[in-house]
Amino acid sequence: MNERVVSGISQEEDHSIDNSLRPKRLSDYIGQTRLKTNLEIAIAAAVQRQESIDHILLHGPPGLGKTTLGNIIAAERGVSIKVTSGPAIERPADMVSILTRLQQGDVLFIDEIHRLPRIVEEVLYSAMEDFVVSWVIDKGLKARSMNLAIQPFTLIGATTRYGMVSSPLRDRFGSAYRLEFYDNESMREIIRRSARILEIEADEDGIREIAARSRGTPRIGNRLLKRVRDYAQVVADNLITGHIAKDALTKLEVDYLGLDDTDHLVIRSIIEKFQGGPVGLNTLAASISEDADTITDVYEPFLLQIGFLDRTSRGRVATRQAYDHLGIDYPENDRSKDQPNLF
Ligand code: ADE
């Protein structure tokens, strides 16, 4: 697949710059107000009691700041953070090794926690509940399990798939928060802040244009800001105006809602190949040669959010707004989509 400029998935080239744009403290973190308030209380209470913060599960679409929040929580609590991911921990021994190295109160951040192998996940249960790890030593008749106390710690799990976190694991988190897409005002504030940090000149119209096309996702907004900066540097004396931003983003094939050619392909495929749906996820994925998980994690959440897509028990359905956006007539007489599911 081509590099996708509106992808919520992180890309290597951006890591160091992205890092400089990440807010380091809760007071710099824009938006997600409800979540921020709850976290402030949880952190303050733990500090007062001199305890570790209860385990936290963060879920929601990619690029909304789950890792950033993990780092902020550790910084606010004044502890170290160890960042890893579900697929990176293959064996129970790897998990034991990580857990036994944690210092008192430390944060362990596991991204894509729904992808932890089950036998690795099982090591976490007693660690989370009682700060004890147990594992089996020796084999056959001599096999016995050893228990080892570890330091109290805070697990922060992050996932784009809340439903794929097993219930025994989910039950062991003290709280679970869903990160929402950012509203337009928050996105403008985030882009304005990033422009300031990167010393990019942009007027309010320029910022508004970039924010509006960022799919409510800071990671995408920051990436678009950098691409528009390139354009402004080459054709416009470095100043990002509304006009320049619009030109640059149109050339990048990001439309005024932030949809790119792959989003269009998803919708167009449902409308043209499947008469507007319903169509099953795997059929849809095959029809556009895209990975089903990528559709679920990256494309679908925003298309659902803006009301272009519906998920029904029989599959995905394109809405009237989606037809209108692509300039395709909505089939008024086709009542099949309105009928209840009789099967
Ligand atoms: N950069 C990425 N996410 C952010 C946020 N929520 N607030 C400020 N800057 C950000």
Side-chain angles (χ1 to χ4, degrees):
M1 201 175 83
N2 293 334
E3 179 188 341
R4 184 173 187 238
V5 79
V6 298
S7 163
I9 293 172
S10 187
Q11 283 160 18
E12 287 299 326
E13 56 146 347
D14 292 323
H15 272 329
S16 60
I17 300 177
D18 276 352
N19 218 16
S20 75
L21 297 180
R22 282 186 175 175
K24 304 285 184 285
R25 304 305 292 243
L26 216 44
S27 54
D28 297 326
Y29 194 92
I30 295 157
Q32 313 286 351
T33 327
R34 193 179 50 87
L35 162 57
K36 236 168 30 183
T37 309
N38 287 329
L39 279 180
E40 265 162 6
I41 292 170
I43 294 167
V47 169
Q48 277 177 13
R49 288 197 305 263
Q50 289 295 304
E51 285 176 2
S52 59
I53 301 167
D54 218 352
H55 309 300
I56 298 171
L57 183 61
L58 301 172
H59 59 108
L64 300 187
K66 295 188 281 291
T67 310
T68 301
L69 269 178
N71 281 288
I72 288 177
I73 292 165
E76 294 287 347
R77 186 66 185 84
V79 295
S80 303
I81 180 168
K82 160 84 185 160
V83 178
T84 182
S85 81
I89 312 175
E90 291 176 4
R91 298 169 303 146
D94 301 334
M95 181 60 93
V96 171
S97 150
I98 291 171
L99 290 166
T100 51
R101 278 163 212 242
L102 294 173
Q103 308 278 314
Q104 184 167 4
D106 277 359
V107 168
L108 172 60
F109 183 92
I110 306 183
D111 201 9
E112 297 189 77
I113 198 162
H114 64 278
R115 293 180 62 193
L116 271 180
R118 193 56 182 249
I119 46 167
V120 173
E121 190 181 303
E122 283 166 3
V123 176
L124 269 182
Y125 298 163
S126 60
M128 290 173 79
E129 232 164 22
D130 304 319
F131 302 120
V132 165
V133 288
S134 38
W135 77 97
V136 178
I137 53 169
D138 257 331
K139 288 192 181 123
L141 288 176
K142 284 205 228 149
R144 59 206 188 279
S145 89
M146 287 255 310
N147 286 335
L148 186 71
I150 56 168
Q151 296 292 338
F153 71 104
T154 302
L155 177 66
I156 303 183
T159 180
T160 48
R161 296 285 188 88
Y162 185 70
M164 281 176 66
V165 180
S166 74
S167 55
L169 182 56
R170 222 186 300 157
D171 291 347
R172 287 171 168 81
F173 286 96
S175 47
Y177 300 107
R178 181 182 156 78
L179 278 84
E180 308 287 347
F181 287 112
Y182 292 73
D183 58 27
N184 240 307
E185 195 186 323
S186 300
M187 280 311 303
R188 284 201 296 276
E189 214 177 317
I190 289 171
I191 306 288
R192 215 177 284 122
R193 174 181 177 275
S194 299
R196 202 168 53 236
I197 293 171
L198 298 176
E199 299 180 354
I200 296 174
E201 262 189 287
D203 69 14
E204 264 312 296
D205 285 346
I207 287 181
R208 183 174 308 117
E209 199 62 48
I210 296 171
R213 299 188 191 213
S214 300
R215 311 162 74 91
T217 307
R219 186 184 291 157
I220 295 173
N222 289 334
R223 187 169 300 141
L224 294 183
L225 174 66
K226 286 179 257 168
R227 294 294 161 272
V228 176
R229 167 179 60 183
D230 292 348
Y231 186 81
Q233 183 186 319
V234 175
V235 308
D237 262 358
N238 287 315
L239 176 66
I240 299 178
T241 60
H243 191 70
I244 290 294
K246 202 177 283 186
D247 279 357
L249 293 170
T250 304
K251 284 200 166 57
L252 290 167
E253 297 188 35
V254 177
D255 76 14
Y256 69 93
L257 289 176
L259 305 185
D260 72 355
D261 49 355
T262 315
D263 296 298
H264 287 173
L265 189 62
V266 170
I267 308 167
R268 191 173 286 283
S269 171
I270 297 176
I271 292 176
E272 292 181 348
K273 294 186 191 156
F274 305 101
Q275 291 76 50
V279 53
L281 174 66
N282 290 322
T283 312
L284 175 62
S287 81
I288 59 170
S289 308
E290 186 54 89
D291 180 53
D293 284 347
T294 310
I295 294 185
T296 312
D297 287 351
V298 180
Y299 302 95
E300 222 174 47
F302 189 66
L303 293 172
L304 287 166
Q305 162 91 5
I306 61 173
F308 276 26
L309 210 62
D310 265 343
R311 260 158 78 164
T312 71
S313 56
R314 287 180 297 163
R316 278 71 181 161
V317 176
T319 64
R320 176 190 285 271
Q321 288 100 301
Y323 280 79
D324 290 349
H325 188 70
L326 293 187
I328 302 173
D329 285 339
Y330 188 70
E332 296 289 352
N333 297 330
D334 179 1
R335 309 245 332 118
S336 64
K337 292 187 212 35
D338 301 334
Q339 284 169 3
N341 182 3
L342 300 173
F343 304 101

